[in-house]
Amino acid sequence: MPKVELDISRGELLRDGVAMRLRPKTLAVLVELHARRNEVVSQNDLRNAVWGQQHGRETGPKQCIRELRRLLDDTPGSPRFIETVGRRGYRLVGRIDLLNSGRDDSGPAPLCVGRAAELAMLADSALMARSGKRAVTLVSGEAGSGKSRLLEAFAATLSPGASFWTAGAHCIPHPGAREPYGPLIAILSQLATGGSTRKPVLRLLETVAPSWKELLPELRAAPALAAQPVTLVETAPDSMLREFTAFAERLSQQQPGVIILEDLHWADQSTLAWLLFWAQSRAPARILVIGTYRFDELDNGGDLKTTIHHLKRMPGFSLLALDGLDHGAVTELLNRRFPDSNLPPSLARELTRRTEGHAILVDAVVEQWHREGVLKPERDQWAPEGDLDRLMSSVTRSVQSFIADEIGRLNPDERLILEIASVASNRFSAPMLNDGRIGVEETERMLDRLASSGRFLERSGIVGWPDGSEATGYVFRHALYREALYEGIPAANRQGLHERIGSRLETAFKAQAAEMAPVLANHFERAADHRRAAIYRGLSGLTALKRGAANDAAGQFRRALKSFAACDPDPETRGAECRALLGLAAALIVGDSFTTLELREVCERAATLAEQASEPATIVPALAGLWNHHISRADLAAAWKLAKVLHELTGNAPASYAMVAQNAAGQTSFFGGDLMACLPHIAAVCDTYDARNRTDAAVLFGEDPGIVCRQYAACVLQLLGQGEAAEQHFAEGMKLAHRLDQPFSQAQMLWAGALIARERGAPELVLERANSLISVCETAEIPYWLPYGQMLAGWAKVVLGDHSALQQICEGLDAYEAMDVQLTRPYGLALYAEAAGHCGQPAEGLKALWTALQLARQTGERWYEPEIYLLWASLSIRIGRMRNISLPLGRALALARRQRAGLCERRARELQDRIRMNSGG
């Protein structure tokens, strides 16, 4: 038989040394057969593992098997490699050796004792993932409990035949140095430079995750930007979650993998959002996601606690809690570190008692004994040199005391360099810690000695610098070492180290400094360099906003503004502060609500600064934010004034600014009840907007002007009686929102879609769109539109016969009252009134309508006033108040004619005709 080898990294099948190129799908089929060799793999298994829900899944397996047989010179009748087993599937029966499977099998497996049950559970999760079922496992334990050691041991146990790739990253302990999706970016960088994953990763980044490719500087084709104030770029703000998920799903079709996220108690909100999004998705995916966290830090990380709460409801989720090592595990550790020995049983028992089974302490004590040779063989038994009690007296139950002792054994030079490293970063190299070639080389030699002896550090690949130089990367063996060293530095020294390291990085990266803005901001904040801290924190906020991480962005901008407040005012600083304020306003719109007092204060401050600097282009976004605030509170008088000012300021402004002004005027007219006045504004935006020319408007203003226009245009045209045109605007808006991958925009359009479906009397369609609205808001954490979905879904359920859903409308109304949203509250009350009538409570409905009309008179929000009067007349009929019908019905007809609301006028006339017929008049 020929010698056959499979080179996964090159995508080649070698037959007696002759390489034959495989198509990606054919390679994935062979990898799956190899991973389950001697097992029967059904065609359906291959479809789910390799194709997922993609085109070609029905005929793909047979086509790939034919290709493989042709390349292997194999036949179905006399198979030497691939056997067809009846109608059950295929089985790999011949030997095929793997090359470059993506696993590094060099070196001994890490020593992990007492964790057999946990390793078995992880193995079961890996088996589930390999079959195409999503698996997420979280490992919890106190600091030093052996979480990382467990994962190292698990990775070493993955069968080479399974061909799993692995990639992992640590979350950053300093909140200020975190960036949205930071660990996922590090994982992507590993995969893009890894053996078996490099080529498929580069291909998938181009096709399904272009936004993520832009986050890897080494993969960008464009040259670096010159040093200048960073502006918003043309990025789909909310595409990050979906792109990375689609990327991982597609990558796993070719080869299963394991993603490891360590220290999730320090994770940024966006990484946690992706973890939950990944677990909630239903498409097949052959990836096991493992995360670790300290359970004693869980209360400090409210986001992680909430994430775990939701994950527990997901299929494929498991939680492992690590306890201390028991006597049996400690005995096994001693026997394996001191093989062929006969240690006294009291040694393991006493070590377990003194350390309370704390994994890091047990491991460190045994390592120290081994290094110092305190156990000596005597005849056929090893015994401690000296009294057992004296040997144990140095063993402490306190991890902190142990680490302090370890630090105390360092010489002054070693301690100094490790203290500087603890300030630098999670992963560091010598150029971050010292200046000049000679100083860097001396520092690297010292770091390498420490890593070689297994003290404090371990090597972590090669770090490239912008000038082309390279240095060895290092990480602390445990976060506890770094924490202890950092806390031991005197405050003034620590502040100075942050300033020097930050300046070193800023100088080295120059034009690319904005790419590491969170790290630089963290250093300069801790150095009390307020100006540079504010600038880089603002850049961090813009980056988070462009990645769709609104809550992360708001946090970054708030910290930037705190630093700006400590700066001496000058024109440049004021301009940067104004940009940070505008960024915070956009983040608040998406992540919170239009009505918050913070949004108003932020926009007013931005407008003041922009006016002082005479920058109309900056005033427009600030005033647009204020307009959103006032219109959402149904303060139409203030909204009208701002809309007029916006129109005056945007005469020669960019098209996106002019569209925002047109939308402000059009929407204010709409909510004021002047439907016909909206049409010129709608036409102006529709004529100007070009979805192919992406702008920064969605990031700068918090919403896309083209979608905003389609949203209210659908409502206006439906009320005017032009249902077909309204549905067309809805369809165009939804198509655009999906193309831009903006959940906030999808929520806007789904609200409009449910509203126009209700006006057409289609409760099933209302329920479908309202449920979609709820799902989008819950998944993307969009609070503003969620109550709308609840109210509309509740109305539809009541109309369809579920009278208990009346409470859902009340909950939506209560939620908006809590958010101080007044706009469309009369509409929400009308929903409740009509639903109450269906539930046999017309009198309660009339009370709600009375409140709605009072609100309309107080605020001037009159777009739905004719429908409210018409509903008043209908409910009056239900309770037999025939004498009270003429007034509301007449008002409904008069208002509908004035607004040219053809749909309402037609329904009012139909009701009027029915009343006349029933009265015999």
Side-chain angles (χ1 to χ4, degrees):
M1 281 183 64
K3 180 181 179 181
V4 179
E5 298 166 305
L6 175 61
D7 189 330
I8 294 179
S9 67
R10 293 179 176 274
E12 294 177 346
L13 189 67
L14 289 85
R15 190 161 168 243
D16 289 332
V18 178
M20 297 170 286
R21 191 78 179 162
L22 296 177
R23 293 189 307 115
K25 290 288 190 287
T26 306
L27 170 65
V29 166
L30 184 53
V31 167
E32 183 66 14
L33 291 175
H34 194 282
R36 300 172 60 181
R37 58 188 180 281
N38 296 321
E39 295 180 24
V40 177
V41 183
S42 70
Q43 287 198 43
N44 200 47
D45 286 345
L46 290 174
R47 292 187 186 106
N48 289 334
V50 178
W51 280 267
Q53 303 301 319
Q54 289 182 305
H55 174 72
R57 57 179 274 123
E58 293 303 320
T59 61
K62 287 185 178 180
Q63 181 181 349
C64 290
I65 293 295
R66 283 198 297 268
E67 288 181 24
L68 289 171
R69 283 177 169 155
R70 176 174 55 79
L71 295 172
L72 293 166
D73 195 20
D74 203 20
T75 62
S78 303
R80 294 181 298 167
F81 292 96
I82 301 175
E83 176 187 14
T84 301
V85 184
R87 295 187 176 181
R88 293 169 56 200
Y90 307 101
R91 178 164 52 205
L92 184 65
V93 294
R95 176 174 176 176
I96 298 178
D97 296 325
L98 287 184
L99 304 175
N100 298 326
S101 65
R103 297 184 66 244
D104 182 5
D105 298 314
S106 61
L111 187 56
C112 183
V113 298
R115 306 299 189 197
E118 289 83 356
L119 287 169
M121 291 181 68
L122 288 171
D124 289 343
S125 296
L127 188 63
M128 179 192 302
R130 198 183 71 181
S131 69
K133 299 175 183 176
R134 289 172 191 266
V136 176
T137 298
L138 296 188
V139 181
S140 70
E142 62 180 323
S145 59
K147 301 181 291 295
S148 298
R149 178 65 58 88
L150 173 68
L151 297 192
E152 290 172 9
F154 166 67
T157 64
L158 289 175
S159 165
S163 303
F164 278 89
W165 51 258
T166 60
H170 288 260
C171 301
I172 295 176
H174 293 312
R178 298 171 197 161
E179 63 174 322
Y181 305 108
L184 298 181
I185 295 170
I187 285 169
L188 188 59
S189 182
Q190 291 175 37
L191 293 173
T193 56
S196 64
T197 57
R198 176 174 171 76
K199 288 187 177 180
V201 164
L202 296 181
R203 183 175 64 253
L204 289 172
L205 286 174
E206 291 284 355
T207 55
V208 302
S211 300
W212 286 84
K213 181 184 176 184
E214 288 301 310
L215 302 182
L216 302 180
E218 63 270 24
L219 298 184
R220 287 196 206 127
L225 296 174
Q228 56 186 0
V230 175
T231 57
L232 300 170
V233 297
E234 299 175 1
T235 308
D238 299 299
S239 65
M240 308 298 292
L241 289 175
R242 288 160 181 77
E243 282 192 15
F244 194 87
T245 298
F247 161 81
E249 289 169 353
R250 294 279 293 276
L251 180 63
S252 75
Q253 291 170 6
Q254 301 182 35
Q255 187 180 0
V258 178
I259 289 177
I260 298 173
L261 298 167
E262 295 209 53
D263 298 325
L264 283 172
H265 50 277
W266 289 325
D268 62 279
Q269 291 179 332
S270 300
T271 296
L272 293 177
W274 175 82
L275 181 62
L276 185 58
F277 186 82
W278 172 265
Q280 290 173 332
S281 300
R282 293 290 176 262
R286 299 193 300 165
I287 290 179
L288 167 61
V289 179
I290 306 176
T292 69
Y293 69 92
R294 299 182 189 176
F295 57 67
D296 53 330
E297 294 277 355
L298 196 56
D299 289 337
N300 297 328
D303 296 321
L304 176 59
K305 195 171 186 177
T306 302
T307 301
I308 294 173
H309 172 75
H310 290 296
L311 283 174
K312 287 180 177 178
R313 305 175 184 175
M314 300 294 111
F317 173 73
S318 57
L319 184 60
L320 301 181
L322 298 188
D323 296 320
L325 299 177
D326 59 19
H327 174 252
V330 175
T331 300
E332 180 186 354
L333 176 62
L334 288 170
N335 289 336
R336 291 176 66 176
R337 290 306 307 267
F338 304 97
D340 303 322
S341 63
N342 185 19
L343 293 169
S346 58
L347 187 64
R349 186 167 51 250
E350 188 65 12
L351 180 58
T352 306
R353 187 182 71 83
R354 294 290 185 106
T355 61
E356 297 182 347
H358 203 295
I360 192 174
L361 283 179
V362 173
D363 190 55
V365 170
V366 172
E367 177 64 30
Q368 182 179 336
W369 287 350
H370 191 274
R371 184 171 63 245
E372 297 179 357
V374 298
L375 294 178
K376 301 291 184 182
E378 294 181 359
R379 298 178 186 171
D380 60 346
Q381 178 170 301
W382 288 50
E385 194 174 72
D387 185 17
L388 179 64
D389 289 337
R390 190 166 65 251
L391 177 68
M392 287 294 176
S393 66
S394 63
V395 177
T396 175
R397 284 189 177 92
S398 167
V399 176
Q400 287 73 22
S401 297
F402 164 75
I403 291 175
D405 290 342
E406 287 286 286
I407 292 173
R409 294 189 183 97
L410 293 166
N411 68 46
D413 290 338
E414 290 172 335
R415 178 165 184 164
L416 176 60
I417 204 65
L418 287 178
E419 286 178 343
I420 299 172
S422 74
V423 173
S425 178
N426 220 29
R427 181 174 182 244
F428 57 89
S429 59
M432 297 173 68
L433 315 182
N434 211 329
D435 296 309
R437 189 72 186 180
I438 295 176
V440 167
E441 290 176 358
E442 289 178 352
T443 298
E444 187 170 73
R445 279 193 291 270
M446 189 181 302
L447 294 171
D448 218 57
R449 282 197 301 272
L450 289 166
S452 297
S453 63
R455 299 177 66 199
F456 293 92
L457 303 177
E458 57 187 41
R459 299 180 186 89
S460 178
I462 302 297
V463 178
W465 286 75
D467 62 1
S469 63
E470 293 183 340
T472 301
Y474 300 93
V475 294
F476 282 94
R477 293 186 64 199
H478 200 284
L480 289 172
Y481 290 129
R482 182 185 180 192
E483 292 169 18
L485 285 159
Y486 186 83
E487 293 301 323
I489 305 171
N493 294 47
R494 190 164 56 218
Q495 198 172 55
L497 286 171
H498 275 295
E499 195 282 328
R500 288 192 289 279
I501 291 171
S503 296
R504 232 176 250 135
L505 291 170
E506 185 182 43
T507 301
F509 282 85
K510 296 178 183 175
Q512 293 92 18
E515 295 168 3
M516 56 190 316
V519 173
L520 291 171
N522 180 63
H523 283 303
F524 292 130
E525 275 180 352
R526 291 169 182 266
D529 186 337
H530 303 299
R531 187 175 183 281
R532 285 195 287 182
I535 289 171
Y536 284 111
R537 191 61 71 196
L539 292 177
S540 302
L542 289 176
T543 299
L545 200 56
K546 290 182 285 186
R547 295 178 188 174
N551 291 329
D552 284 323
Q556 297 282 358
F557 286 125
R558 290 187 186 108
R559 294 180 72 158
L561 294 171
K562 186 176 180 181
S563 292
F564 276 123
C567 294
D568 293 330
D570 59 63
E572 186 178 353
T573 301
R574 285 196 181 116
E577 181 184 358
C578 190
R579 289 191 290 273
L581 287 162
L582 294 176
L584 177 56
L588 290 172
I589 287 171
V590 176
D592 198 344
S593 158
F594 294 103
T595 59
T596 63
L597 179 61
E598 184 181 14
L599 176 63
R600 176 177 178 173
E601 292 174 345
V602 163
C603 291
E604 287 175 344
R605 171 67 176 163
T608 299
L609 290 176
E611 189 174 4
Q612 290 174 357
S614 301
E615 293 182 4
T618 311
I619 294 175
V620 169
L623 295 182
L626 280 173
W627 177 87
N628 267 318
H629 173 80
H630 286 293
I631 197 73
S632 297
R633 292 169 58 86
D635 186 352
L636 267 68
W640 262 121
K641 292 178 183 177
L642 287 165
K644 291 176 181 176
V645 174
L646 281 169
H647 180 71
E648 293 170 0
L649 290 173
T650 55
N652 298 316
S656 59
Y657 286 41
M659 287 188 287
V660 167
Q662 292 283 0
N663 281 337
Q667 288 181 92
T668 308
S669 297
F670 165 56
F671 289 118
D674 193 350
L675 303 184
M676 296 303 294
C678 303
L679 299 181
H681 300 293
I682 293 171
V685 175
C686 289
D687 290 344
T688 304
Y689 187 83
D690 186 349
R692 294 171 298 179
N693 296 330
R694 299 287 302 280
T695 71
D696 59 8
V699 177
L700 187 58
F701 294 99
E703 49 189 359
D704 184 272
I707 292 173
V708 170
C709 178
R710 297 287 185 185
Q711 175 204 29
Y712 86 93
C715 301
V716 168
L717 292 170
Q718 182 65 52
L719 294 175
L720 289 173
Q722 302 175 35
E724 188 174 330
E727 193 66 28
Q728 185 177 353
H729 274 289
F730 168 71
E732 288 292 330
M734 281 300 297
K735 181 180 177 181
L736 180 58
H738 281 294
R739 187 191 309 162
L740 299 180
D741 203 4
Q742 295 175 357
F744 189 85
S745 297
Q746 293 167 24
Q748 288 176 301
M749 289 310 307
L750 285 166
W751 172 76
L755 186 148
I756 65 176
R758 177 181 176 272
E759 294 307 306
R760 293 207 304 273
E764 294 89 353
L765 186 57
V766 173
L767 184 59
E768 176 188 328
R769 290 173 178 175
N771 282 337
S772 296
L773 173 56
I774 292 170
S775 177
V776 168
C777 290
E778 290 180 340
T779 301
E781 297 182 349
I782 303 171
Y784 184 78
W785 295 105
L786 181 58
Y788 282 121
Q790 293 171 330
M791 288 186 284
L792 286 160
W795 174 87
K797 290 175 185 176
V798 168
V799 173
L800 293 171
D802 180 6
H803 291 180
S804 66
L806 185 65
Q807 180 61 29
Q808 192 172 2
I809 304 176
C810 295
E811 290 170 0
L813 286 167
D814 290 343
Y816 265 144
E817 185 173 7
M819 292 166 60
D820 200 21
V821 176
Q822 295 300 319
L823 189 70
T824 72
R825 186 167 179 79
Y827 177 75
L829 290 166
L831 289 176
Y832 173 80
E834 184 178 359
H838 280 281
C839 295
Q841 304 174 38
E844 289 297 314
L846 286 171
K847 289 180 183 177
L849 293 178
W850 175 256
T851 303
L853 289 170
Q854 283 185 313
L855 284 172
R857 282 191 286 271
Q858 290 170 8
T859 64
E861 184 189 344
R862 300 185 178 277
W863 67 281
Y864 207 66
E865 195 174 18
E867 295 284 359
I868 292 174
Y869 276 111
L870 181 58
L871 185 55
W872 184 295
S874 298
L875 291 179
S876 296
I877 293 173
R878 291 199 182 197
I879 61 175
R881 295 181 181 175
M882 301 304 293
R883 288 179 301 176
N884 297 338
I885 295 172
S886 58
L887 178 61
L889 187 55
R891 289 290 294 161
L893 275 167
L895 289 170
R897 290 193 193 103
R898 186 187 307 164
Q899 293 183 5
R900 298 191 188 180
L903 189 62
C904 181
E905 184 179 358
R906 185 166 64 249
R907 286 203 293 255
R909 287 191 177 283
E910 289 171 355
L911 179 60
Q912 192 178 56
D913 291 342
R914 286 200 304 272
I915 293 171
R916 286 172 179 167
M917 289 179 61
N918 291 336
S919 63

